[in-house]
PDB file of all heavy atoms in Angstrom:
ATOM      1  N   LEU A 108     121.632 100.749 110.049  1.00  0.00           N
ATOM      2  CA  LEU A 108     120.997 102.056 109.860  1.00  0.00           C
ATOM      3  C   LEU A 108     121.550 103.040 110.893  1.00  0.00           C
ATOM      4  O   LEU A 108     121.807 104.216 110.558  1.00  0.00           O
ATOM      5  CB  LEU A 108     119.478 101.929 110.007  1.00  0.00           C
ATOM      6  CG  LEU A 108     118.712 103.263 109.914  1.00  0.00           C
ATOM      7  CD1 LEU A 108     118.841 103.860 108.518  1.00  0.00           C
ATOM      8  CD2 LEU A 108     117.232 103.029 110.231  1.00  0.00           C
ATOM      9  N   LYS A 109     121.720 102.627 112.122  1.00  0.00           N
ATOM     10  CA  LYS A 109     122.240 103.494 113.178  1.00  0.00           C
ATOM     11  C   LYS A 109     123.592 104.112 112.822  1.00  0.00           C
ATOM     12  O   LYS A 109     123.858 105.280 113.078  1.00  0.00           O
ATOM     13  CB  LYS A 109     122.395 102.729 114.499  1.00  0.00           C
ATOM     14  CG  LYS A 109     121.082 102.394 115.189  1.00  0.00           C
ATOM     15  CD  LYS A 109     121.354 101.685 116.483  1.00  0.00           C
ATOM     16  CE  LYS A 109     120.116 101.402 117.264  1.00  0.00           C
ATOM     17  NZ  LYS A 109     120.374 100.697 118.565  1.00  0.00           N
ATOM     18  N   GLU A 110     124.428 103.295 112.143  1.00  0.00           N
ATOM     19  CA  GLU A 110     125.767 103.754 111.799  1.00  0.00           C
ATOM     20  C   GLU A 110     125.803 104.585 110.517  1.00  0.00           C
ATOM     21  O   GLU A 110     126.828 105.146 110.173  1.00  0.00           O
ATOM     22  CB  GLU A 110     126.701 102.562 111.658  1.00  0.00           C
ATOM     23  CG  GLU A 110     126.866 101.733 112.918  1.00  0.00           C
ATOM     24  CD  GLU A 110     127.677 100.480 112.691  1.00  0.00           C
ATOM     25  OE1 GLU A 110     128.078 100.240 111.534  1.00  0.00           O
ATOM     26  OE2 GLU A 110     127.867  99.720 113.634  1.00  0.00           O
ATOM     27  N   SER A 111     124.674 104.667 109.806  1.00  0.00           N
ATOM     28  CA  SER A 111     124.621 105.332 108.524  1.00  0.00           C
ATOM     29  C   SER A 111     123.845 106.631 108.531  1.00  0.00           C
ATOM     30  O   SER A 111     123.703 107.267 107.518  1.00  0.00           O
ATOM     31  CB  SER A 111     123.986 104.399 107.484  1.00  0.00           C
ATOM     32  OG  SER A 111     124.642 103.127 107.457  1.00  0.00           O
ATOM     33  N   VAL A 112     123.357 107.014 109.695  1.00  0.00           N
ATOM     34  CA  VAL A 112     122.492 108.175 109.778  1.00  0.00           C
ATOM     35  C   VAL A 112     123.299 109.446 109.886  1.00  0.00           C
ATOM     36  O   VAL A 112     124.259 109.552 110.645  1.00  0.00           O
ATOM     37  CB  VAL A 112     121.570 108.044 111.036  1.00  0.00           C
ATOM     38  CG1 VAL A 112     120.768 109.323 111.245  1.00  0.00           C
ATOM     39  CG2 VAL A 112     120.645 106.868 110.880  1.00  0.00           C
ATOM     40  N   SER A 113     122.933 110.466 109.101  1.00  0.00           N
ATOM     41  CA  SER A 113     123.549 111.780 109.252  1.00  0.00           C
ATOM     42  C   SER A 113     122.636 112.713 110.048  1.00  0.00           C
ATOM     43  O   SER A 113     123.130 113.625 110.687  1.00  0.00           O
ATOM     44  CB  SER A 113     123.827 112.393 107.872  1.00  0.00           C
ATOM     45  OG  SER A 113     122.638 112.572 107.126  1.00  0.00           O
ATOM     46  N   SER A 114     121.312 112.520 109.995  1.00  0.00           N
ATOM     47  CA  SER A 114     120.391 113.289 110.844  1.00  0.00           C
ATOM     48  C   SER A 114     119.066 112.568 110.963  1.00  0.00           C
ATOM     49  O   SER A 114     118.713 111.759 110.123  1.00  0.00           O
ATOM     50  CB  SER A 114     120.168 114.676 110.233  1.00  0.00           C
ATOM     51  OG  SER A 114     119.479 114.611 109.019  1.00  0.00           O
ATOM     52  N   VAL A 115     118.372 112.875 112.034  1.00  0.00           N
ATOM     53  CA  VAL A 115     117.033 112.360 112.284  1.00  0.00           C
ATOM     54  C   VAL A 115     116.107 113.474 112.684  1.00  0.00           C
ATOM     55  O   VAL A 115     116.431 114.268 113.580  1.00  0.00           O
ATOM     56  CB  VAL A 115     117.024 111.295 113.409  1.00  0.00           C
ATOM     57  CG1 VAL A 115     115.634 110.701 113.611  1.00  0.00           C
ATOM     58  CG2 VAL A 115     118.034 110.212 113.135  1.00  0.00           C
ATOM     59  N   HIS A 116     114.996 113.610 111.984  1.00  0.00           N
ATOM     60  CA  HIS A 116     113.958 114.609 112.350  1.00  0.00           C
ATOM     61  C   HIS A 116     112.770 113.850 112.922  1.00  0.00           C
ATOM     62  O   HIS A 116     112.191 112.990 112.280  1.00  0.00           O
ATOM     63  CB  HIS A 116     113.525 115.409 111.137  1.00  0.00           C
ATOM     64  CG  HIS A 116     114.576 116.351 110.608  1.00  0.00           C
ATOM     65  ND1 HIS A 116     114.347 117.262 109.625  1.00  0.00           N
ATOM     66  CD2 HIS A 116     115.846 116.554 111.000  1.00  0.00           C
ATOM     67  CE1 HIS A 116     115.426 117.984 109.423  1.00  0.00           C
ATOM     68  NE2 HIS A 116     116.351 117.538 110.229  1.00  0.00           N
ATOM     69  N   VAL A 117     112.403 114.223 114.137  1.00  0.00           N
ATOM     70  CA  VAL A 117     111.252 113.590 114.806  1.00  0.00           C
ATOM     71  C   VAL A 117     110.074 114.585 114.731  1.00  0.00           C
ATOM     72  O   VAL A 117     110.164 115.674 115.237  1.00  0.00           O
ATOM     73  CB  VAL A 117     111.579 113.227 116.260  1.00  0.00           C
ATOM     74  CG1 VAL A 117     110.332 112.583 116.916  1.00  0.00           C
ATOM     75  CG2 VAL A 117     112.782 112.334 116.343  1.00  0.00           C
ATOM     76  N   ILE A 118     109.002 114.136 114.088  1.00  0.00           N
ATOM     77  CA  ILE A 118     107.822 114.968 113.947  1.00  0.00           C
ATOM     78  C   ILE A 118     106.708 114.347 114.801  1.00  0.00           C
ATOM     79  O   ILE A 118     106.287 113.226 114.536  1.00  0.00           O
ATOM     80  CB  ILE A 118     107.366 115.087 112.488  1.00  0.00           C
ATOM     81  CG1 ILE A 118     108.480 115.704 111.614  1.00  0.00           C
ATOM     82  CG2 ILE A 118     106.105 115.953 112.395  1.00  0.00           C
ATOM     83  CD1 ILE A 118     108.149 115.754 110.161  1.00  0.00           C
ATOM     84  N   ALA A 119     106.310 115.068 115.829  1.00  0.00           N
ATOM     85  CA  ALA A 119     105.219 114.593 116.687  1.00  0.00           C
ATOM     86  C   ALA A 119     103.902 114.910 116.035  1.00  0.00           C
ATOM     87  O   ALA A 119     103.601 116.047 115.743  1.00  0.00           O
ATOM     88  CB  ALA A 119     105.313 115.219 118.046  1.00  0.00           C
ATOM     89  N   LEU A 120     103.071 113.879 115.759  1.00  0.00           N
ATOM     90  CA  LEU A 120     101.763 114.059 115.211  1.00  0.00           C
ATOM     91  C   LEU A 120     100.784 114.376 116.360  1.00  0.00           C
ATOM     92  O   LEU A 120     100.429 113.488 117.142  1.00  0.00           O
ATOM     93  CB  LEU A 120     101.283 112.814 114.432  1.00  0.00           C
ATOM     94  CG  LEU A 120     102.144 112.408 113.250  1.00  0.00           C
ATOM     95  CD1 LEU A 120     101.592 111.170 112.587  1.00  0.00           C
ATOM     96  CD2 LEU A 120     102.251 113.542 112.214  1.00  0.00           C
ATOM     97  N   GLN A 121     100.375 115.594 116.425  1.00  0.00           N
ATOM     98  CA  GLN A 121      99.544 116.041 117.567  1.00  0.00           C
ATOM     99  C   GLN A 121      98.123 115.431 117.414  1.00  0.00           C
ATOM    100  O   GLN A 121      97.628 115.309 116.331  1.00  0.00           O
ATOM    101  CB  GLN A 121      99.475 117.544 117.605  1.00  0.00           C
ATOM    102  CG  GLN A 121     100.828 118.217 117.736  1.00  0.00           C
ATOM    103  CD  GLN A 121     100.722 119.736 117.670  1.00  0.00           C
ATOM    104  OE1 GLN A 121      99.773 120.319 118.152  1.00  0.00           O
ATOM    105  NE2 GLN A 121     101.711 120.372 117.059  1.00  0.00           N
ATOM    106  N   ASP A 122      97.570 115.148 118.557  1.00  0.00           N
ATOM    107  CA  ASP A 122      96.205 114.596 118.565  1.00  0.00           C
ATOM    108  C   ASP A 122      95.238 115.752 118.405  1.00  0.00           C
ATOM    109  O   ASP A 122      95.467 116.869 118.835  1.00  0.00           O
ATOM    110  CB  ASP A 122      95.940 113.900 119.938  1.00  0.00           C
ATOM    111  CG  ASP A 122      94.760 112.972 119.867  1.00  0.00           C
ATOM    112  OD1 ASP A 122      94.011 113.045 118.894  1.00  0.00           O
ATOM    113  OD2 ASP A 122      94.589 112.165 120.776  1.00  0.00           O
ATOM    114  N   SER A 123      94.105 115.443 117.740  1.00  0.00           N
ATOM    115  CA  SER A 123      93.083 116.455 117.587  1.00  0.00           C
ATOM    116  C   SER A 123      92.198 116.429 118.837  1.00  0.00           C
ATOM    117  O   SER A 123      92.270 115.508 119.672  1.00  0.00           O
ATOM    118  CB  SER A 123      92.242 116.202 116.351  1.00  0.00           C
ATOM    119  OG  SER A 123      91.549 114.971 116.501  1.00  0.00           O
ATOM    120  N   LEU A 124      91.383 117.442 118.987  1.00  0.00           N
ATOM    121  CA  LEU A 124      90.441 117.479 120.117  1.00  0.00           C
ATOM    122  C   LEU A 124      89.288 116.513 119.926  1.00  0.00           C
ATOM    123  O   LEU A 124      88.628 116.141 120.902  1.00  0.00           O
ATOM    124  CB  LEU A 124      89.895 118.901 120.316  1.00  0.00           C
ATOM    125  CG  LEU A 124      90.959 119.964 120.635  1.00  0.00           C
ATOM    126  CD1 LEU A 124      90.308 121.354 120.781  1.00  0.00           C
ATOM    127  CD2 LEU A 124      91.713 119.651 121.923  1.00  0.00           C
ATOM    128  N   ALA A 125      89.092 116.092 118.692  1.00  0.00           N
ATOM    129  CA  ALA A 125      88.023 115.127 118.426  1.00  0.00           C
ATOM    130  C   ALA A 125      88.562 113.684 118.655  1.00  0.00           C
ATOM    131  O   ALA A 125      89.705 113.515 119.057  1.00  0.00           O
ATOM    132  CB  ALA A 125      87.540 115.251 116.997  1.00  0.00           C
ATOM    133  N   THR A 126      87.695 112.723 118.458  1.00  0.00           N
ATOM    134  CA  THR A 126      88.106 111.308 118.669  1.00  0.00           C
ATOM    135  C   THR A 126      88.773 110.750 117.456  1.00  0.00           C
ATOM    136  O   THR A 126      89.258 109.608 117.466  1.00  0.00           O
ATOM    137  CB  THR A 126      86.866 110.483 119.027  1.00  0.00           C
ATOM    138  OG1 THR A 126      85.903 110.544 117.962  1.00  0.00           O
ATOM    139  CG2 THR A 126      86.240 110.949 120.324  1.00  0.00           C
ATOM    140  N   GLN A 127      88.797 111.478 116.358  1.00  0.00           N
ATOM    141  CA  GLN A 127      89.376 110.961 115.124  1.00  0.00           C
ATOM    142  C   GLN A 127      90.875 111.126 115.139  1.00  0.00           C
ATOM    143  O   GLN A 127      91.390 112.233 115.029  1.00  0.00           O
ATOM    144  CB  GLN A 127      88.767 111.655 113.899  1.00  0.00           C
ATOM    145  CG  GLN A 127      87.271 111.424 113.786  1.00  0.00           C
ATOM    146  CD  GLN A 127      86.649 112.259 112.691  1.00  0.00           C
ATOM    147  OE1 GLN A 127      87.139 113.329 112.329  1.00  0.00           O
ATOM    148  NE2 GLN A 127      85.561 111.807 112.102  1.00  0.00           N
ATOM    149  N   PHE A 128      91.537 110.020 115.294  1.00  0.00           N
ATOM    150  CA  PHE A 128      93.031 110.032 115.345  1.00  0.00           C
ATOM    151  C   PHE A 128      93.528 108.666 114.892  1.00  0.00           C
ATOM    152  O   PHE A 128      92.979 107.637 115.335  1.00  0.00           O
ATOM    153  CB  PHE A 128      93.520 110.349 116.769  1.00  0.00           C
ATOM    154  CG  PHE A 128      95.027 110.491 116.876  1.00  0.00           C
ATOM    155  CD1 PHE A 128      95.654 111.556 116.333  1.00  0.00           C
ATOM    156  CD2 PHE A 128      95.778 109.552 117.515  1.00  0.00           C
ATOM    157  CE1 PHE A 128      97.031 111.734 116.439  1.00  0.00           C
ATOM    158  CE2 PHE A 128      97.139 109.653 117.651  1.00  0.00           C
ATOM    159  CZ  PHE A 128      97.762 110.773 117.082  1.00  0.00           C
ATOM    160  N   PRO A 129      94.472 108.581 113.976  1.00  0.00           N
ATOM    161  CA  PRO A 129      94.886 107.239 113.503  1.00  0.00           C
ATOM    162  C   PRO A 129      95.483 106.389 114.594  1.00  0.00           C
ATOM    163  O   PRO A 129      96.348 106.798 115.345  1.00  0.00           O
ATOM    164  CB  PRO A 129      95.948 107.603 112.449  1.00  0.00           C
ATOM    165  CG  PRO A 129      96.427 108.963 112.780  1.00  0.00           C
ATOM    166  CD  PRO A 129      95.246 109.684 113.367  1.00  0.00           C
ATOM    167  N   GLY A 130      94.955 105.145 114.655  1.00  0.00           N
ATOM    168  CA  GLY A 130      95.470 104.202 115.647  1.00  0.00           C
ATOM    169  C   GLY A 130      96.565 103.353 115.082  1.00  0.00           C
ATOM    170  O   GLY A 130      97.283 102.658 115.834  1.00  0.00           O
ATOM    171  N   SER A 131      96.791 103.403 113.797  1.00  0.00           N
ATOM    172  CA  SER A 131      97.925 102.733 113.156  1.00  0.00           C
ATOM    173  C   SER A 131      98.286 103.571 111.929  1.00  0.00           C
ATOM    174  O   SER A 131      97.472 104.325 111.371  1.00  0.00           O
ATOM    175  CB  SER A 131      97.593 101.313 112.733  1.00  0.00           C
ATOM    176  OG  SER A 131      96.550 101.283 111.758  1.00  0.00           O
ATOM    177  N   VAL A 132      99.577 103.478 111.526  1.00  0.00           N
ATOM    178  CA  VAL A 132     100.028 104.252 110.340  1.00  0.00           C
ATOM    179  C   VAL A 132     100.334 103.232 109.256  1.00  0.00           C
ATOM    180  O   VAL A 132     101.318 102.477 109.289  1.00  0.00           O
ATOM    181  CB  VAL A 132     101.304 105.053 110.710  1.00  0.00           C
ATOM    182  CG1 VAL A 132     101.819 105.744 109.477  1.00  0.00           C
ATOM    183  CG2 VAL A 132     100.987 106.061 111.830  1.00  0.00           C
ATOM    184  N   SER A 133      99.483 103.190 108.232  1.00  0.00           N
ATOM    185  CA  SER A 133      99.627 102.259 107.129  1.00  0.00           C
ATOM    186  C   SER A 133     100.461 102.798 106.007  1.00  0.00           C
ATOM    187  O   SER A 133     101.233 102.081 105.363  1.00  0.00           O
ATOM    188  CB  SER A 133      98.246 101.812 106.590  1.00  0.00           C
ATOM    189  OG  SER A 133      97.466 101.275 107.652  1.00  0.00           O
TER     190      SER A 133
END
């Protein structure tokens, strides 16, 4: 995969001010 990539977009999922935030991404 490393040799086949043309671009990578990194999207940071910001934490909310509340306690509700995913602890895993299913």
Side-chain angles (χ1 to χ4, degrees):
L108 177 65
K109 287 183 177 180
E110 298 174 0
S111 307
V112 174
S113 61
S114 67
V115 183
H116 289 187
V117 181
I118 302 176
L120 298 180
Q121 302 175 37
D122 199 347
S123 65
L124 297 178
T126 58
Q127 298 173 334
F128 185 70
S131 63
V132 177
S133 304

